[in-house]
Amino acid sequence: MDIKSTTTAADIAAHLRERILAGEFAPGARMHQVQLSEMLGISRTPIREALGQLANQGLLVYEPNRGYAVRTFSLAEIEAAFEVRARLEALACGLCARHGLEPAVLARLRACLALGDRILAKGQLEPEDLAPYRAMNVEFHETLLTRSGNAFLGDFVRQCHNVPLASDRVFVWEDHGVIARSHDDHHRILHAIEMRDAERAEALMREHVRFAGFVLMRMLSGTHAEGHRRSA
Amino acid sequence: MDIKSTTTAADIAAHLRERILAGEFAPGARMHQVQLSEMLGISRTPIREALGQLANQGLLVYEPNRGYAVRTFSLAEIEAAFEVRARLEALACGLCARHGLEPAVLARLRACLALGDRILAKGQLEPEDLAPYRAMNVEFHETLLTRSGNAFLGDFVRQCHNVPLASDRVFVWEDHGVIARSHDDHHRILHAIEMRDAERAEALMREHVRFAGFVLMRMLSGTHAEGHRRSA
DNA sequence: TCGACAATAAATGTATCCAAAATAAAAAAA
DNA sequence: TTTTTTTATTTTGGATACATTTATTGTCGA
């Protein structure tokens, strides 16, 4: 369970981050420094630095003289994270539409849409298609964030993105209808960007993220069945 | 130049943060660990932890094997920070209007407005009124952020708030007309919240912050001789 | 049996030491 | 003189040792 020999604090943080998001460290679990240092074969100093980074990224909580623990996110916090994401990704989208995107970037986004189309055209989501679709989805959103020209958006959205991942790992986006609807959003969003319609692109992305949040909340809470209204 | 004897890494980070925002460490300046440890009379270990925290908060930049340096913010980044702030504070404002605020909170906000009214009623901003007005302004915005019920908003906005402060020119809002207009915004914002008009509260706060950003950008991009360092 | 207090164990916080990398400086070659 | 190479110094990164705080547990007393 040791990591590669060239270990810097950032590497350790990334390593632990993966394992936390994978659910290997349960929410609320204490992150003992000596235990981790023995587990990874590294001294406590870089471990501490990595834990501090993760705490500042919001994945761990820290109490003085009591150490770090995996942060637990309430349902309300997950909802709050999606609310913020919706606004920030909408802003990124609007910025992209406003100042326009380079042809190469647009081509890459269109390629994302085409891949999603191919996967969804089967009418059913094969298990082996899940990872490619997720990667495509990440690239689509990340591209808009980075190409918005506003560096804060990406940083904050990534922090928000961790929240549901760290809370519970019992959700899979396997519902074909939900994904198809979400992917249709992508089409309309990119179209609005190409048309340089910032207002529309912004509104579409906001609802797109809010819809994802709604679906996730429904999966996590299990009972909320109230419909999610979408504006055209 | 030493700090209090009970020094934890968080204390050191706060201490350095103050001094960075006060302009004591110029943007781009390297933060030498041994130098800081001698300056503060503390060993390097907690210094390193504090620097890591500040870097994660976005006040410092870190390069492996080259250490930390005070981050420099371009004009575009300052503008970007205001753009994000505008959306996030608008969201906070809308949330407050949507779910309503407790009477005690509303009373506190009204007290803020009253204080601003008293200060502005003089027709001219006295130097001794600047600090109280600024404190009032901070309390007004912070209250809405914390009472929005969305913890991410406060965290992110505070990070954005550091950006213009960390630029090497910090300005005071000395123009009576600008402050009067800004304070009038406060009135209209609170009124919208009291009326539970979330849409309007959101739009007002968005424009309010954007206006502040616009004014600041004008000051920063114009002849920098007009600016005044923040007084201690 | 239950609670309070004390002693032990464990974990965190800090300081110091050593190694590796980077920067600066000095010497050698063109 | 300029460039390159080598050496020395500085600075950061990691490991270990010590101090302080917290948690656990065991004992005593009511």
Side-chain angles (χ1 to χ4, degrees):
Chain A
M1 204 59 74
D2 54 343
I3 57 183
K4 56 177 182 277
S5 60
T6 61
T7 50
T8 176
D11 294 332
I12 300 170
H15 177 87
L16 291 177
R17 181 175 170 279
E18 291 292 328
R19 294 175 69 171
I20 291 170
L21 293 183
E24 198 165 339
F25 298 96
R30 300 277 298 273
M31 300 291 279
H32 295 282
Q33 299 172 4
V34 286
Q35 179 181 323
L36 289 170
S37 78
E38 289 169 3
M39 180 186 296
L40 300 175
I42 303 170
S43 84
R44 269 178 59 214
T45 309
I47 299 280
R48 282 173 61 92
E49 197 167 331
L51 292 177
Q53 287 183 23
L54 294 173
N56 282 309
Q57 287 172 17
L59 243 71
L60 302 178
V61 289
Y62 168 72
E63 260 185 293
N65 292 320
R66 292 198 50 189
Y68 299 86
V70 180
R71 183 168 171 183
T72 63
F73 290 102
S74 67
L75 254 61
E77 281 174 307
I78 297 173
E79 202 165 14
F82 268 96
E83 217 156 6
V84 171
R85 263 191 67 192
R87 306 301 175 114
L88 294 183
E89 294 210 46
L91 174 54
C93 211
L95 289 171
C96 287
R98 190 155 289 128
H99 59 59
L101 292 177
E102 303 162 14
V105 178
L106 286 173
R108 199 70 201 88
L109 290 171
R110 287 198 204 97
C112 286
L113 295 190
L115 173 60
D117 290 340
R118 280 200 301 278
I119 292 174
L120 288 167
K122 299 178 184 177
Q124 180 181 339
L125 268 173
E126 310 294 339
E128 67 268 20
D129 289 333
L130 235 65
Y133 186 88
R134 282 204 341 168
M136 179 279 291
N137 190 41
V138 168
E139 183 183 353
F140 187 83
H141 283 263
E142 274 294 326
T143 300
L144 293 179
L145 283 171
T146 57
R147 297 293 174 164
S148 71
N150 189 324
F152 299 98
L153 291 174
D155 292 345
F156 293 161
V157 167
R158 272 182 281 278
Q159 284 190 43
C160 289
H161 201 70
N162 284 336
V163 173
L165 294 177
S167 70
D168 235 350
R169 59 187 188 287
V170 290
F171 55 90
V172 186
W173 302 93
E174 56 185 2
D175 184 277
H176 186 276
V178 167
I179 295 190
R181 184 170 171 180
S182 174
H183 189 60
D184 190 52
D185 286 346
H186 289 176
H187 273 283
R188 297 196 293 174
I189 287 168
L190 183 54
H191 185 259
I193 291 174
E194 289 174 323
M195 292 292 113
R196 308 292 296 274
D197 189 343
E199 289 292 326
R200 178 169 165 77
E202 212 166 306
L204 285 171
M205 179 58 95
R206 183 166 61 240
E207 288 310 307
H208 173 63
V209 175
R210 291 188 65 194
F211 173 67
F214 169 75
V215 172
L216 179 60
M217 290 304 294
R218 199 180 53 183
M219 295 172 90
L220 289 178
S221 61
T223 53
H224 288 165
E226 39 185 300
H228 181 254
R229 210 174 42 203
R230 334 181 56 190
S231 55
Chain B
M1 204 63 72
D2 54 344
I3 57 183
K4 58 176 183 277
S5 61
T6 61
T7 50
T8 176
D11 293 333
I12 299 170
H15 176 85
L16 291 177
R17 180 175 171 279
E18 290 293 326
R19 294 174 69 170
I20 291 170
L21 293 182
E24 198 165 339
F25 298 96
R30 301 277 296 273
M31 300 291 278
H32 295 280
Q33 298 173 3
V34 286
Q35 179 180 323
L36 289 170
S37 78
E38 290 170 2
M39 180 187 297
L40 300 176
I42 301 171
S43 86
R44 268 178 59 215
T45 309
I47 300 280
R48 281 169 59 178
E49 196 165 329
L51 291 177
Q53 288 183 24
L54 294 173
N56 283 310
Q57 288 171 16
L59 244 71
L60 302 178
V61 290
Y62 169 72
E63 260 184 293
N65 291 322
R66 292 196 51 187
Y68 300 86
V70 180
R71 182 167 171 185
T72 64
F73 290 103
S74 66
L75 255 60
E77 282 174 306
I78 296 174
E79 201 166 14
F82 268 96
E83 220 157 2
V84 171
R85 263 191 66 192
R87 306 300 175 115
L88 294 182
E89 295 211 46
L91 173 55
C93 212
L95 289 172
C96 288
R98 191 155 288 126
H99 58 60
L101 292 177
E102 302 162 13
V105 177
L106 285 174
R108 198 70 203 89
L109 290 170
R110 288 197 204 96
C112 286
L113 295 190
L115 174 60
D117 289 341
R118 280 200 302 279
I119 292 175
L120 288 167
K122 298 178 182 177
Q124 184 180 346
L125 268 173
E126 309 295 338
E128 68 268 19
D129 289 332
L130 275 170
Y133 187 88
R134 284 207 336 172
M136 180 280 291
N137 190 41
V138 168
E139 182 183 353
F140 187 83
H141 284 262
E142 275 293 327
T143 300
L144 293 179
L145 284 171
T146 56
R147 297 293 173 165
S148 71
N150 189 323
F152 299 98
L153 291 174
D155 292 345
F156 294 161
V157 167
R158 270 182 283 276
Q159 283 191 43
C160 290
H161 200 69
N162 284 337
V163 173
L165 293 178
S167 84
D168 58 352
R169 290 166 304 198
V170 182
F171 293 82
V172 294
W173 306 93
E174 58 180 1
D175 185 277
H176 186 277
V178 168
I179 295 189
R181 173 172 169 180
S182 175
H183 190 60
D184 191 52
D185 287 345
H186 289 176
H187 273 283
R188 296 195 293 175
I189 287 167
L190 182 55
H191 185 259
I193 291 174
E194 289 174 324
M195 292 292 112
R196 309 291 296 272
D197 189 343
E199 290 291 327
R200 178 169 166 76
E202 213 167 305
L204 285 171
M205 179 58 94
R206 182 165 63 238
E207 288 311 309
H208 173 62
V209 176
R210 292 189 65 192
F211 173 69
F214 172 75
V215 172
L216 181 59
M217 291 305 293
R218 290 280 295 184
M219 296 170 88
L220 287 177
S221 59
T223 57
H224 56 277
E226 291 300 321
H228 292 67
R229 288 207 73 89
R230 188 175 55 146
S231 54

